[in-house]
Amino acid sequence: MSIKSFLPGRLGFGTAPLGNMFRAIPDEEAAATVAAAWDNGIRYFDTAPFYGAGLSEIRLGEALADRPREEFVLSTKVGRVILDEIEDPSARDLGEKGGLFEHGRPNKIVNDYSADATLRSVEDSLKRLRTDSLDIVWVHDVAQDFYGDEWLAAYETARTGAFRVLQRLRDEGVIRAWGLGVNRVEPLELTLDLEEPKPDAFLLAGRYTLLDHERALQRLLPAAKTHDVDIVVGGPYSSGVLAGGQHFEYQKAPASVITKVERIKALAGQHGVGIKAAALQFSLAHPAVAAAIPGASRPSRIAEDAAALGEKVPAAFWTALRTEGLIAQDAPVPSA
């Protein structure tokens, strides 16, 4: 099923920050941020057990508990099981994403993409989210950034475990759609080449942005379009560096990235364009992309995202980006 048929808009809310990503967020601020998303018309919410060892799901569940379930779309992820056992969050091996949720809950996180773990993960998420249904379930992070040279082994476990379970749950009507949620294009390209099982959509974080899109443009997005597999763009602001933050790829942005951002900002300023509008609208311009789900941890950021989606961006700005070599020549851009 195309998720475009039931997504309630092109702008969703990625709730990784509610898991205390980068900083400890008060419960009140987390609740106010979800309320701001709702008040700005956002009805698609994405979360994961991994975000703060269940903290994001718990906070999102509490914030949406009084909202009519049929009025919003909810996605979460499988691949990590959260235990009652305690561990040191700062000592977790997160591959390239070290220290990402060191302010989250100290519950032990176990990587497991098997069939049994997938079913347990879904059940646990339903409890934390205080709901009886999920719309989309993503298989989380079966990629190089978390598993290095072992990523193909993790992927194979997921292919014979999580993929098949989620396809069965979809076919039985328990969930509406499934796919992979990753920060790399290779696992998605591999999945598109499979005869079975067949995903409905992919959540691709950080790989179709103003700063990083050439690899996805070459093969993945055209192939996804051919296979009728929708793309949800996560991290359209490249972990925040395109929206005034200091992070790129969840770590401190290197000088080369800062320099590129400054060049984009300079052109945006010349054309009277907000950097958030440029980033968000670029990610959404490709015909394979169904939605974008920027994250936020402050209510004011949500209103900025909603405004960025509707901002008028002149065609001359996109032409200038192409001329300066800041976006690929063949990258689709919004029509004026």
Side-chain angles (χ1 to χ4, degrees):
M1 173 188 287
S2 168
I3 64 170
K4 286 179 181 173
S5 66
F6 64 82
L7 280 182
R10 305 206 74 200
L11 182 63
F13 178 25
T15 68
L18 301 188
N20 284 353
M21 185 168 71
F22 302 136
R23 70 182 182 96
I25 301 164
D27 288 338
E28 300 76 19
E29 191 172 349
T33 303
V34 178
W38 189 274
D39 292 343
N40 277 277
I42 291 172
R43 296 293 184 271
Y44 171 36
F45 300 87
D46 176 74
T47 185
F50 179 61
Y51 302 156
L55 181 59
S56 172
E57 288 186 320
I58 290 167
R59 283 173 160 173
L60 185 61
E62 289 175 353
L64 294 176
D66 295 329
R67 309 291 187 181
R69 180 63 185 89
E70 68 278 6
E71 289 188 14
F72 62 91
V73 168
L74 191 58
S75 63
T76 191
K77 306 180 183 76
V78 296
R80 274 77 171 237
V81 176
I82 312 302
L83 306 182
D84 291 333
E85 187 181 336
I86 300 302
E87 65 182 359
D88 178 1
S90 65
R92 292 177 181 138
D93 179 8
L94 304 182
E96 298 173 10
K97 309 294 193 295
L100 195 56
F101 290 103
E102 61 185 6
H103 302 290
R105 297 165 77 220
N107 296 60
K108 187 170 184 177
I109 300 174
V110 178
N111 300 327
D112 194 337
Y113 298 92
S114 68
D116 287 348
T118 299
L119 289 169
R120 175 177 173 180
S121 183
V122 167
E123 286 296 323
D124 290 349
S125 288
L126 288 169
K127 291 173 187 171
R128 285 190 291 266
L129 287 162
R130 296 170 61 176
T131 186
D132 58 2
S133 66
L134 299 171
D135 296 292
I136 310 170
V137 179
W138 311 109
V139 182
H140 205 189
D141 289 333
V142 275
Q144 306 93 309
D145 51 337
F146 276 93
Y147 298 103
D149 291 341
E150 302 299 314
W151 83 270
L152 284 169
Y155 179 91
E156 186 60 15
T157 301
R159 184 187 69 81
T160 57
F163 290 14
R164 292 176 181 174
V165 166
L166 295 178
Q167 177 143 301
R168 175 171 60 80
L169 292 179
R170 182 201 64 199
D171 293 347
E172 292 173 353
V174 177
I175 60 176
R176 298 167 84 174
W178 75 276
L180 279 68
V182 294
N183 299 278
R184 293 289 185 271
V185 299
E186 292 85 353
L188 307 185
E189 292 175 348
L190 202 59
T191 305
L192 286 175
D193 287 337
L194 296 176
E195 287 298 321
E196 279 291 326
K198 289 292 186 185
D200 304 285
F202 294 137
L203 169 51
L204 177 63
R207 299 283 77 76
Y208 197 68
T209 71
L210 274 178
L211 293 179
D212 185 345
H213 55 270
E214 301 228 15
R215 175 68 192 269
L217 261 179
Q218 290 169 11
R219 179 171 183 264
L220 174 64
L221 268 64
K225 185 73 177 155
T226 299
H227 285 83
D228 292 321
V229 173
D230 297 323
I231 302 290
V232 174
V233 172
Y237 307 135
S238 293
S239 298
V241 73
L242 280 169
Q246 302 298 312
H247 291 94
F248 174 75
E249 281 294 281
Y250 310 100
Q251 304 296 329
K252 189 84 168 173
S256 59
V257 168
I258 297 293
T259 299
K260 187 173 183 179
V261 171
E262 290 304 318
R263 290 176 64 198
I264 294 171
K265 280 184 177 177
L267 287 176
Q270 290 170 24
H271 290 85
V273 174
I275 188 73
K276 273 193 164 186
L280 194 57
Q281 293 186 32
F282 175 83
S283 291
L284 285 167
H286 197 285
V289 174
I293 51 168
S297 60
R298 292 183 173 91
S300 60
R301 299 285 189 256
I302 300 286
E304 291 174 9
D305 293 337
L309 189 63
E311 187 176 320
K312 298 294 184 188
V313 179
F317 169 68
W318 304 114
T319 301
L321 287 181
R322 283 204 177 108
T323 302
E324 294 284 328
L326 291 168
I327 60 172
Q329 294 300 311
D330 56 343
V333 296
S335 55

